[in-house]
Amino acid sequence: MKNSILIITLFLSSLYSFGATFYVAPNGVDTNAGDLNNPVETIQKAQALASSGDTVYIRGGLYSMREDQIARYNSIWAYVTELNKNGISYLAYPNETPIFDYKNIKPADYRIFAFFITGSNIHIKGIEVVGVQVTILTHTQSECFDIQGSNITLEQVKMHDGMAIGVYMTKGSNNLILNCDAYNNYDSVSESGVGGNTDGFGFHLKKGSVNNVIRGCRAWYNSDDGYDLINNAEPVLIENCWAFNNGYSISGTNKFVSRGDGNGFKAGGYGAGGTPYTTIQSSYTPIPKNTIRFCLAVRNKQSGFYANHHLDGNYWYNNTAYVNKRNYNMLNCVALNATDFATDGPGWNHTLANNLGFAATTAELENIDKPRCFLTSNYFDMSVTVNSSDFLSTDETLLTAPREADGSLPKNDFLKLKAGSDIINAGTDIGFTFKGAAPDLGCFEFDSSLGLKDFTEKKGIYNYPNPFSTETNVVFYNDSNSKITLSLYNLAGMKVMDIPEKTYSKGENTIALKRDGLASGNYILVIKSDDFQRNSKLITIQ
């Protein structure tokens, strides 16, 4: 039996919190002490009370934000909540949902940032941000989260029904956007309401901003793109993410009012001449090669997966595209030189493996120079026949199903392979876990959970303390006596530590994990046994 990998997200529960604890509530008062019975009203005040290692719990309910709560004005920006202190966790109170509504914050001629984050080692989990406004009539943007710090984890956050970009990142390293949703965001104010600058997630990183990851996220009905990596100086990893119905807004019964660009995953580019060649040379070289893997793009207005005039190739692994205008569009500019940097040409130097698609309305694959790319087991070059009969369901309403209890993407039948499909075992082993004789094509492995044991948080998987500085205790449950090996990876997928194999007994086990010189940041602990299910979880070192 093949080994399966359990990737454990290690998080600090309130039971094992060693720092101070503060509370925010809709009925709080900022002159209060911030304890459970005397909460403060704003996260800004809670930050002022807290120190590194502390936790701020945010009680559920509606927070109707006001202009007098704007933390700071700076040039054309209005920072409503500015998080500039390091090492603080801001967590939704267990089993409660805090909703921050910004519809009444409309300072004229300012770009509105709901959360402006320049601190580091910050964890935000379980809140919703709605109604962020735009007030400038010319080209502009507002943002739910503007991230400029490092070691930031944004987890299980929803950003919706506003005019702003969900997450916008320009600098910082080792940041993780995990299991977040950005949807129904349309800027109806600027540039006559074209909606062309409202993405779900935008990473536009400066040099030195490395190891940034978007994982398990969904973007839909954002009036521009789902995920946008234009003007990026460092590679970004996007994995296990979904993008659908982007480039549209809803108006009454019309669910597809055309707005901005409308790509699912826009991976690169520098404006096809919009950025001067000298600036590209000084600010963006070497050109980054982004990785998009195990992602799903459905019914986006333009391309599902798009290279966007990039000046090098990207890595595209095990993705699935369905009913986009163009499922895969590898458009590059011709070359990185002063003559050709702004001239469009077929994509070159891309690596595509095990990708799947069907039912594109214009083209399955477009703008690619195949001899200059590295192509392995992609549906467009294979004899496989792909149609709806290969899948358990093509019901697109399943895309917006509720997430699982741990915040992971919903588990349902949408575009899951049906027994007997020739897509099963049609891929090539490129280093990722698979079940069967060979990997399947696309982002969903056939019957991948059948026969695997449930190894979940309900059985006691956690670590404490988290974040930690020198040592943390990993606690997990074992169904039977078995040998287990542990490895630690950074968010770029590089192994940084091995813990030797050891036999652990049935029941609860504890492993001491030492820092041993590791840099501050987010890591993934991989626990291997014979029959554990994979399950992504997180550990943070301060």
Side-chain angles (χ1 to χ4, degrees), residues 142-298:
S142 291
E143 297 156 22
C144 297
F145 290 87
D146 186 289
I147 296 176
Q148 298 188 21
S150 294
N151 303 310
I152 308 296
T153 298
L154 203 64
E155 182 179 4
Q156 295 181 41
V157 172
K158 295 180 180 179
M159 302 146 285
H160 60 96
D161 294 285
M163 302 182 187
I165 297 168
V167 176
Y168 191 85
M169 189 182 300
T170 55
K171 61 182 178 180
S173 297
N174 304 310
N175 295 308
L176 173 64
I177 311 303
L178 176 65
N179 295 340
C180 294
D181 289 337
Y183 58 96
N184 294 344
N185 295 305
Y186 161 47
D187 171 8
S188 61
V189 172
S190 69
E191 299 179 296
S192 301
V194 68
N197 216 28
T198 308
D199 302 317
F201 301 86
F203 280 33
H204 316 284
L205 299 165
K206 300 182 185 302
K207 279 187 176 181
S209 300
V210 298
N211 298 330
N212 292 296
V213 177
I214 313 173
R215 177 180 294 127
C217 294
R218 293 185 293 189
W220 72 96
Y221 278 119
N222 298 289
S223 61
D224 202 31
D225 301 306
Y227 304 80
D228 189 351
L229 305 182
I230 194 173
N231 294 333
N232 217 21
E234 298 288 355
V236 171
L237 169 62
I238 305 177
E239 65 178 356
N240 299 109
C241 290
W242 299 357
F244 49 100
N245 299 342
N246 293 292
Y248 300 107
S249 69
I250 299 174
S251 179
T253 59
N254 186 351
K255 295 184 178 181
F256 295 98
V257 180
S258 180
R259 299 299 183 188
D261 289 349
N263 299 287
F265 298 86
K266 179 189 282 184
Y270 304 93
T275 302
Y277 179 68
T278 53
T279 301
I280 293 174
Q281 285 282 55
S282 62
S283 300
Y284 298 107
T285 56
I287 300 298
K289 294 169 68 73
N290 302 294
T291 300
I292 299 88
R293 65 193 189 199
F294 297 96
C295 290
L296 174 67
V298 177

Side-chain angles (χ1 to χ4, degrees), residues 11-23 51-57 87-89 91 462-467:
F11 65 94
L12 179 61
S13 70
S14 59
L15 183 62
Y16 293 97
S17 178
F18 292 101
T21 303
F22 298 93
Y23 295 85
S51 300
S52 181
D54 292 347
T55 299
V56 174
Y57 283 107
I88 302 172
S89 295
L91 312 178
Y462 53 87
N463 80 299
Y464 66 92
N466 190 35

